[in-house]
Amino acid sequence: MLRSEPNVKTWSRTWRAAILVAWILAAALLAAIFPAASKEEVNRATLVPDSAPSQVAAARVREAFPASSGTPAILVFADPSGISSADWSSIRQAVRELRAHPVTAQTEVPPLDALPPAAAAGFASSDGKVVSVPVLLRADASQDQLNQAVAEIDQVLRRTAGAQALERAPGDPGLHVYVTGPAGIAVDATHLFQHADLALLIATTLLVLALMMVLYRSPILALVPLVSVGIAYTVVSSLLGAWARYGGLTFDAQTVSILTVLLFGAGTDYCLFFIARYRQELRRHARPSDALRAGYKSTAAAILMSGLTVSVSLLSLLAARSPSFHEFAIPFSLGVFVMALVAITFVPALIGSLGRAAFWPRIPRYEPDSPEAEQPGRISRWLGRTAVRRRTPVAVLGSLALAACCLALPHVRTTYDLLSSFPSDMPSREGYAVLAAHESPGALAPVDVLVEGGNAEAAIRSIQSLASVQKVQLVASRHDAHEALLQVELRANPYSEAAMGALPSIERAAVTGASAGGHAARVYVAGETAAQADTRSITARDTRVVVPMVLAAIGLLLLVYLRSVVAPLYLLATIVLSYGAAMGLGWLAVREVLHQPAMQGTIPLYAFVFLVALGEDYNIFVMSRIWEVWRRGQARSAVERGVADTASVITSAGLILAGTFAMLASLPIQVLLQFGVVTAIGVLLDTFVVRPWLVPAITALLGDAARWPRRT
């Protein structure tokens, strides 16, 4: 904790100026020397660790059949009236150019241009309206190389089929061309995240500015959080960029998008907590510098503790195996911690330099004798009074209300379907829809099955007998090594739950068939479906590991800060209950309002870490005020005054934090949309149920026992 008595010279004019200049120079120098975080994003084609079974299998396939393994970009040529001779000419010309001038990371293209018409017809659908051509790219190609390859393929298609073929709306007559498959989907997904960053930054800035104007009606004050967040964001972005370039840190565009929202939400909250207390002190002190010292003394420790709690919680994600969680840890924890440092140094210096003028046109006057000077607002006093005097019904009804929302949890459906998380008008998804309608859904990303030893032909027959399989073909074989690479085309969308559910039976059938006759055989299963299945199992493992770590870390910090064994227990219990309610209500919103059949499988863990950390954020502020007043009075009066003093500012902060996370719902990416909705709901529950009612009521019920074993 910070020292309880600041030095007499603390926050003098010279001291304030030095802090402001130091932060501005630090931000400017870091931005000039190091790259921004957005310049160092590593957007990989897969987010599965190398140790996962699908990646071990993929490495084994690359080793055994380097020319036949890779990430396919599937070129889909479609004509509603049937592929004409002119269309075939364009298709052959495109393939000829790709074979003569390979694009980045290209390894193989079938020689369709050199085949006779009868053989080339094998690439067409049975109705003759679609032709699909796979362009194989290196399996170890980075996301940047995939981006470059697809951009070069796009240029080839524009030269050979015409720009209009790539731009026609679905249903229009003429030739339509799409680039889909795992490579096309990965590239489109990356572009979605990259193009969303600027729009998200602008929208969040305008939202915070508007909410601050409505809440405080001061144009000057409304700019304080924006300037503070801007300083923190510049510093954090530069530090992350430097760490990524020189220290090997990795993060992707999704991390940068959420980091923007997190800094705006947390930063604005921290600013509000200090501003609200400073405004109160201005009515009690004639000199703004005295008000600044008094306000700082009562808020700095809580802000720093709050930032530390959130940072440590997010740092627990380092224990996750999934890169989609693991890579969040350092950027988010560093961002929040720097934002907390800005809030307890730069913000007081800036506000102190502005003095009373910061609140123009509603300037708080020095009114030490006014009965209103020491009193919170009427509604705030009513909240505190009701939470204490009606503590038993408030605690019971609040708990039951949250528990009722949790009843939807058993009905939550999760999915790891990558395609469903993207807009339906995304080119690669449109291409998949055409491919699935005229061929087989599984043609988008066949399952690779590597058979070592045994009878490959028997394995093919065994796999083909499965109801989930459309067809099986032998792609390559090495008789000397007794190895064969099979491609299994499923009847279902390869990113769907049904496809993942089919993998165990495919592996068993391959082993059974290959081992027939007493032959020893080993089978490896790779491909997009296998990677999705690994993502599902690793996410379940990460949830089992990270959740108790987050709870233990927050509980320990609360124990140290509050010096109580009892309080951390019920604070954690209420926030976990709030999380369950947020997930239940979030699922209802996803299903009934957004009309989406399932929630992305990573959302529950994402939401848990953020909601538990940010929820305890508010608990720390209200409990620190209750503890402060408790030293001078009894438990119930301390709870009543603590709630009244913090009600207005936490409500304002909660609305802004919920609003900033809700901005994620404006993005055309389902995982961010759903995360934004669930997190915003959780923040609102903490703001309007847990913090003003449930926590105070439980504290009042427990009385002195809430502080056990602390006595002072």
Side-chain angles (χ1 to χ4, degrees):
M1 294 178 61
L2 300 179
R3 292 177 59 188
S4 61
E5 293 295 338
N7 185 276
V8 175
K9 294 183 179 180
T10 301
W11 304 117
S12 65
R13 182 178 300 177
T14 303
W15 185 241
R16 295 196 302 265
I19 290 175
L20 292 175
V21 171
W23 273 110
I24 293 171
L25 282 178
L29 287 174
L30 286 171
I33 296 172
F34 300 120
S38 59
K39 302 296 184 184
E40 298 297 319
E41 296 168 356
V42 178
N43 298 299
R44 298 177 299 180
T46 180
L47 284 175
V48 183
D50 293 339
S51 59
S54 63
Q55 301 309 295
V56 172
R60 187 69 193 90
V61 169
R62 288 196 299 271
E63 180 184 341
F65 300 100
S68 301
S69 62
T71 304
I74 300 177
L75 313 187
V76 178
F77 301 85
D79 194 323
S81 58
I83 299 295
S84 65
S85 58
D87 296 337
W88 272 111
S89 177
S90 297
I91 295 169
R92 291 176 184 276
Q93 186 179 351
V95 172
R96 188 178 302 114
E97 186 166 337
L98 287 170
R99 293 181 64 211
H101 306 285
V103 300
T104 299
Q106 178 180 316
T107 60
E108 186 180 0
V109 179
L112 183 147
D113 59 310
L115 296 176
F123 289 86
S125 60
S126 58
D127 60 8
K129 295 182 178 181
V130 171
V131 171
S132 60
V133 181
V135 178
L136 206 59
L137 306 177
R138 284 204 318 270
D140 61 350
S142 68
Q143 185 61 52
D144 288 340
Q145 289 175 318
L146 294 182
N147 294 344
Q148 182 64 28
V150 171
E152 293 169 3
I153 291 172
D154 182 84
Q155 292 303 313
V156 170
L157 294 174
R158 288 179 182 276
R159 288 194 297 269
T160 56
Q164 68 278 7
L166 284 89
E167 298 166 0
R168 285 193 175 100
D172 287 352
L175 180 65
H176 297 247
V177 182
Y178 308 92
V179 181
T180 186
I185 292 168
V187 170
D188 280 352
T190 300
H191 289 164
L192 277 178
F193 281 109
Q194 290 175 337
H195 294 159
D197 286 347
L198 180 59
L200 181 64
L201 179 62
I202 294 173
T204 307
T205 300
L206 294 176
L207 174 70
V208 170
L209 187 62
L211 288 174
M212 286 294 294
M213 285 291 294
V214 170
L215 293 170
Y216 285 93
R217 302 176 192 175
S218 168
I220 299 174
L221 207 61
L223 294 174
V224 170
L226 298 182
V227 174
S228 305
V229 172
I231 291 290
Y233 183 85
T234 303
V235 171
V236 172
S237 178
S238 300
L239 291 175
L240 291 176
W243 199 337
R245 177 168 295 185
Y246 305 112
L249 181 68
T250 57
F251 49 83
D252 59 14
Q254 177 176 287
T255 302
V256 176
S257 294
I258 298 178
L259 178 62
T260 301
V261 171
L262 181 62
L263 284 179
F264 266 99
T268 304
D269 280 6
Y270 296 156
C271 290
L272 287 179
F273 292 134
F274 178 77
I275 289 169
R277 193 55 185 269
Y278 178 53
R279 183 170 62 174
Q280 288 179 351
E281 298 298 337
L282 283 173
R283 303 178 70 180
R284 302 168 185 166
H285 296 84
R287 295 194 310 170
S289 58
D290 292 336
L292 181 65
R293 293 188 185 99
Y296 186 83
K297 175 184 173 182
S298 61
T299 59
I303 290 174
L304 187 58
M305 183 63 191
S306 170
L308 187 61
T309 300
V310 179
S311 294
V312 170
S313 300
L314 294 171
L315 206 59
S316 299
L317 289 171
L318 283 174
R321 285 187 62 210
S322 171
S324 60
F325 297 119
H326 182 90
E327 292 178 0
F328 277 0
I330 291 176
F332 291 173
S333 58
L334 176 65
V336 172
F337 187 70
V338 170
M339 189 67 249
L341 292 180
V342 169
I344 63 172
T345 54
F346 182 84
V347 173
L350 180 59
I351 290 289
S353 299
L354 295 171
R356 297 181 189 273
F359 296 87
W360 182 87
R362 303 178 67 187
I363 298 176
R365 303 298 180 184
Y366 175 51
E367 301 171 315
D369 299 324
S370 170
E372 299 293 327
E374 295 283 340
Q375 292 296 322
R378 184 174 60 184
I379 295 178
S380 297
R381 295 197 303 270
W382 174 81
L383 281 172
R385 187 169 57 249
T386 305
V388 171
R389 298 181 183 179
R390 306 289 183 185
R391 52 192 175 276
T392 301
V394 166
V396 172
L397 291 176
S399 299
L400 289 177
L402 293 177
C405 297
C406 295
L407 293 176
L409 287 177
H411 305 286
V412 174
R413 288 186 57 198
T414 57
T415 179
Y416 292 85
D417 184 349
L418 180 66
L419 279 177
S420 69
S421 67
F422 301 130
S424 58
D425 60 352
M426 189 173 78
S428 57
R429 187 171 179 183
E430 289 182 336
Y432 167 70
V434 171
L435 197 64
H438 294 273
E439 294 189 13
S440 163
L444 178 68
V447 178
D448 290 331
V449 178
L450 176 63
V451 179
E452 293 184 344
N455 189 329
E457 293 297 331
I460 292 175
R461 291 192 296 271
S462 181
I463 296 172
Q464 187 66 70
S465 66
L466 298 174
S468 59
V469 173
Q470 177 73 22
K471 66 179 180 180
V472 187
Q473 59 180 347
L474 177 65
V475 176
S477 63
R478 295 172 57 196
H479 296 293
D480 55 332
H482 301 288
E483 293 174 329
L485 178 61
L486 316 179
Q487 275 195 344
V488 180
E489 193 173 299
L490 300 172
R491 296 184 185 275
N493 172 357
Y495 295 98
S496 66
E497 292 286 332
M500 288 188 284
L503 290 181
S505 60
I506 291 173
E507 184 172 3
R508 287 194 299 269
V511 171
T512 301
S515 302
H519 301 290
R522 187 169 185 178
V523 172
Y524 295 89
V525 179
E528 294 295 304
T529 307
Q532 291 293 109
D534 282 344
T535 299
R536 180 176 61 181
S537 62
I538 290 170
T539 299
R541 175 264 176 198
D542 288 346
T543 300
R544 294 192 300 270
V545 172
V546 171
V547 166
M549 286 187 65
V550 170
L551 293 176
I554 293 179
L556 182 60
L557 287 170
L558 289 174
L559 178 66
V560 172
Y561 182 67
L562 298 175
R563 286 186 282 173
S564 164
V565 173
V566 177
L569 295 177
Y570 69 81
L571 291 179
L572 284 174
T574 57
I575 210 65
V576 170
L577 184 60
S578 174
Y579 161 75
M583 282 297 300
L585 292 177
W587 165 241
L588 294 178
V590 166
R591 188 186 65 184
E592 304 298 336
V593 179
L594 300 177
H595 305 293
Q596 295 170 357
M599 184 179 288
Q600 288 294 314
T602 54
I603 298 297
L605 185 52
Y606 279 156
F608 177 84
V609 174
F610 277 86
L611 287 178
V612 170
L614 294 172
E616 290 302 347
D617 219 16
Y618 291 166
N619 278 340
I620 286 172
F621 282 104
V622 69
M623 293 301 289
S624 65
R625 183 56 179 157
I626 291 173
W627 255 229
E628 181 183 349
V629 178
W630 206 328
R631 299 192 194 105
R632 305 190 298 268
Q634 298 298 314
R636 291 170 187 171
S637 60
V639 172
E640 184 174 337
R641 184 56 188 265
V643 172
D645 282 348
T646 58
S648 177
V649 63
I650 292 183
T651 299
S652 301
L655 288 172
I656 291 178
L657 185 62
T660 54
F661 274 100
M663 294 308 299
L664 289 171
S666 66
L667 300 180
I669 304 165
Q670 191 182 85
V671 64
L672 291 183
L673 183 154
Q674 293 179 351
F675 174 65
V677 168
V678 172
T679 308
I681 290 173
V683 170
L684 292 175
L685 287 174
D686 290 336
T687 302
F688 293 103
V689 179
V690 177
R691 187 271 313 160
W693 299 111
L694 193 55
V695 166
I698 294 174
T699 305
L701 275 173
L702 292 174
D704 289 335
R707 291 175 19 126
W708 184 85
R710 183 174 177 173
R711 298 181 181 277
T712 60

